[in-house]
Amino acid sequence: MAIMSCYLELSDHGASSVIVFLRVNLYLIVFFLVRFPCNNLLLTTNHRSSLINCVVYSASGSPQEMVPPVEGVAGGGTAYGWGDSSLQDQTSLRGTIDPCRVPSSELVHVWCMPSTANVGPQETPRPLEPASLLAARNERESIQIAIRPKVSWSGSSNAGVVQIQCTDLCSTSGDRLVVGQSVTLRRVVPILGVPDALVPLDMPVSQINLLPGETTAIWISIDVPSTQPPGQYDGEIIVTATKTDAECAAQFLDKSEKYKVYRELRNCLDVIEEIDGKSVDEVVERVKSATTTLRRVLLSPSFSDFISENGPLDMMDEDANLSIRLKLSLTVWDFVLPTTPSLPAVIGISDTVIEDRFGVEHGSAEWYDALELHFKWLLQYKISPYFCKWGNSMRVLTYTSPWPADHPKSDEFFSDPRLAAYAVPYSPVVPCGDLAKDYLQKEVEILRSKSHWKKAYFYLWDEPLNVQQYDAIRHQASEIHVYAPDARVLTTYYSGPSDAPLAPNNFEAFLKVPGYLRPHTQIYCTSEWVIGNREDLVKDIIAEIKPESNEEWWTYVCMGPSDPHPNWHLGMRGTQHRAVMWRVWKEGGTGFLYWGANCYEKATVASAEIKFRRGLPPGDGVLFYPGEVFSSSHEPVASLRLERLLSGLQDIEYLKLYSSRYGRDEGLAILEKTGMYLGPERYTLDHNPIDMMRGEIFRTCRP
C-alpha cells in the first residue's frame, strides 16, 4: 500500500516520473516474490556428539551453522566475578504466541554486559539500561548484549528467533560511526563450555536462534578511526522477536496464487516498458492500465494482512513498537592512540599448522596467500605477528615475512606502521639452493639499509636448558653480529643451563643468564612464571639488564603462570586476561612475547573441529580459530582472549599518556587508587575500576 500511496503522489508530477517509479517498484515486487519462495525452510538445531549446533540467520534469510569447534563441550555458568541477581520472568503468555503481535520485551530478556564478562549459557538476566562507552581515536571499544528467552514461541525445539539490528552511531554535528565499518557484531560461541569464539554476524541485520533456558551473548565492537571528530555518538541496538523462516513460509502464497500474481505484475511491467517512441496519449493509457493492474494486485486477498480500515499499515513502525531498543552512546575524546604500539607484543603463528590444516604446500602461491591473510588480519589487534617452525631441542625458525628481504612484499610488511617489531630468519624460509650459503649476509645488508631496521630482531632458540643449547645461541648470534653489530637477538628463558650451575640456587642462576649470554643477546625475555607473586624480584632482574648497551627486558607467558595470575587460559576471568598487559606495564617490561596463537592439534581439513594440545592448559597457544570451522568464511575467528589482549595493550597507551603528564609514579598510583591492578594476585574482578582508570585519565589529560 505504501507503493500505491507514493504512486498517487507522484502522478501529479508528470508521466515520466510515474513511469520511472512504476518500473523500479515493479522490479522490486517481482524480485521479492522470486527471491522468497514458499519452500524456504528453517534449519533446525542438531547434535553432533555433545556439541550444540547454533543456527544463525543472515539479513538475507539464509541460515549459517555455528558449531562449537572442540570436543567435550560442558554446561554450567561461566560468568566469573558477577553477582547472582536476576530478574524473574513476569510473562503470563501461554499457548501459541505470534511474535509479530506481542512486544518482544514479553518474550526475551535483553541486557548489557562489559567486555570483561564471560557470559555463559546460565547467565541470569539483569535490568536493561543504556550503555555508555568511552574511547580514544584509533581505539577499539567493545561491549556485550545478552539475550535470554522468557518463553518459547517457535514451533520447533528452539525457543525462537530474534532479529538483531544496529544503527550507525551519530553525533549532533552529523559525524558517523558506520555499521559494518566502524561498528561490528559477533556472536559469542562457547568453547569447552566457556564463551570464547567471536563469530561474525551479517550487518546491519542478523537473525539468531535462541535455545530454551540459555543466554546468548552478542559482542559489539566500535573501531574509532584516528581522524574521527571527538564528541558524543549515539545509536541503538534493536532486538525483535520474530518468526522462523518455516513459519513465515507457511504464510506465503501457494504456487498457483504466486504464479497468478507474478503474471499480472509481469504483464504490468511489459506495458510500462514498451513506451519508447509512443505518443503522449498512448503513454497515458499505458500508465492508467498499469495503475489499474497494480491496484488490483495490491488490494487482492493475498495482501489483505497489509491493509486496515485506516489505510495501509507502516510495517516498519509496527515492528519498531514491538522491538526492544537499547541506547548506545560513545564519547570519543581528543586523544589518538599511536598507530605503532608503544609496547611490542610479538606473537607466534605456526606455519606448519597452516600448511596441514589448509592443505597448502610450503613455498606455494597458496601458502604465501595464507600467511599474508593471517599477518594482515592480526595487525588489527596491535600485535606484531611472526611465523615459526619448530626444530629439534626447541630450536625455532622465526620470520615475519615469508619473502626474502629484497622482495617488495617484505618491505610492505616491515614498513606497516602498525607493526612494532619483526623477526628476521637466521636461515632461508623457503629452500633456495646455492643462495643459502650467503643468505644471512645478504638479508642483513638489505634490511640494515631500511628505516624499519630498528624494528628487527632475531629469535633463534626457545628456552635453552643446557650448555650445548646456550652455546648454539652464542654461535648463531656471533655470526649475525659479524654482518650487523647492531642486530638484536632475543632469547626466552626461565632458568640457567642445568649442566653448568651459575649460582647456588635456581633463582640466582636465573639472574646470571644475562651475564652468561652477553654480548650475544640484547633482548632478555623471561617467564612470568619465575616471578610468581614476588614482584620484589623484578628489581633484581632489571638490575642485571644494561639499557645503556641497548639491552631490554621482555616477559612472556607459556603454560604458566596459572590461576589466579594473569594469563590467557580458557575459563579465566575477563579481567585476568586483560591484566596480562597491566602486569607488563607495572613491572616495567619493554616488550612481550607469546609463543603461539594457532597451536591446536593437527588437522588436515580446514573445517575440522579444534582440539587443544594435550598436556597444555585449555586455550594455551590458541588465540584465534579457523573461520571455516564456523562458516564458509576464510577469515580467522577471534577469541574473547585476543580481544582482551588488545584492550590491555590499549590500556598501556592510556597509562603511558598519564605518566607522560604526571610521571611514572603517578601512573602506578592510579592503578592502585582505582583498584584496577595491584599485583599478580590482586587485581579487579569486575569492570568498574577499568572505567574509573580510563575516566580519570580522560578527565585529567584532555586538551
Side-chain angles (χ1 to χ4, degrees), residues 597-618:
N598 68 330
C599 296
Y600 28 75
E601 287 284 5
K602 180 178 179 179
T604 55
V605 178
S607 59
E609 69 177 13
I610 296 294
K611 295 184 178 181
F612 296 130
R613 292 188 180 180
R614 293 175 177 83
L616 298 179

Side-chain angles (χ1 to χ4, degrees), residues 90 123 145 275 283 285 289 356 544 620 673 685:
Q90 300 296 329
E123 185 71 44
I145 304 300
I275 60 172
V283 168
E285 289 300 316
S289 174
D356 293 340
E544 296 295 324
D620 193 71
K673 181 172 66 174
L685 303 183

Side-chain angles (χ1 to χ4, degrees), residues 497-634:
S498 59
D499 50 353
L502 303 179
N505 61 63
N506 290 337
F507 185 73
E508 287 188 24
F510 168 81
L511 289 178
K512 298 295 183 182
V513 168
Y516 189 65
L517 278 176
R518 190 175 287 120
H520 306 294
T521 291
Q522 286 67 46
I523 302 176
Y524 297 92
C525 189
T526 64
S527 170
E528 291 283 16
W529 169 78
V530 174
I531 300 171
N533 64 355
R534 294 279 309 278
E535 282 195 304
D536 57 300
L537 301 178
V538 170
K539 295 180 181 179
D540 297 330
I541 297 172
I542 293 178
E544 296 295 324
I545 308 299
K546 296 183 176 180
E548 67 276 9
S549 299
N550 294 320
E551 292 181 356
E552 296 184 58
W553 178 54
W554 292 18
T555 54
Y556 68 92
V557 294
C558 175
M559 297 184 64
S562 57
D563 189 67
H565 290 203
N567 208 325
W568 292 320
H569 297 165
L570 196 70
M572 286 182 165
R573 302 174 187 272
T575 54
Q576 196 170 2
H577 296 146
R578 192 158 171 171
V580 171
M581 290 302 159
W582 303 343
R583 179 173 190 171
V584 173
W585 190 82
K586 186 174 187 291
E587 292 175 351
T590 57
F592 187 84
L593 179 142
Y594 192 61
W595 69 281
N598 68 330
C599 296
Y600 28 75
E601 287 284 5
K602 180 178 179 179
T604 55
V605 178
S607 59
E609 69 177 13
I610 296 294
K611 295 184 178 181
F612 296 130
R613 292 188 180 180
R614 293 175 177 83
L616 298 179
D620 193 71
V622 178
L623 293 176
F624 65 84
Y625 304 97
E628 291 83 352
V629 172
F630 304 92
S631 68
S632 59
S633 173
H634 300 298

Side-chain angles (χ1 to χ4, degrees), residues 381-396:
Y381 289 96
K382 299 187 184 295
I383 62 178
S384 298
Y386 67 86
F387 299 97
C388 54
K389 188 180 295 293
W390 298 87
N392 296 328
S393 303
M394 303 297 279
R395 183 191 300 268
V396 60

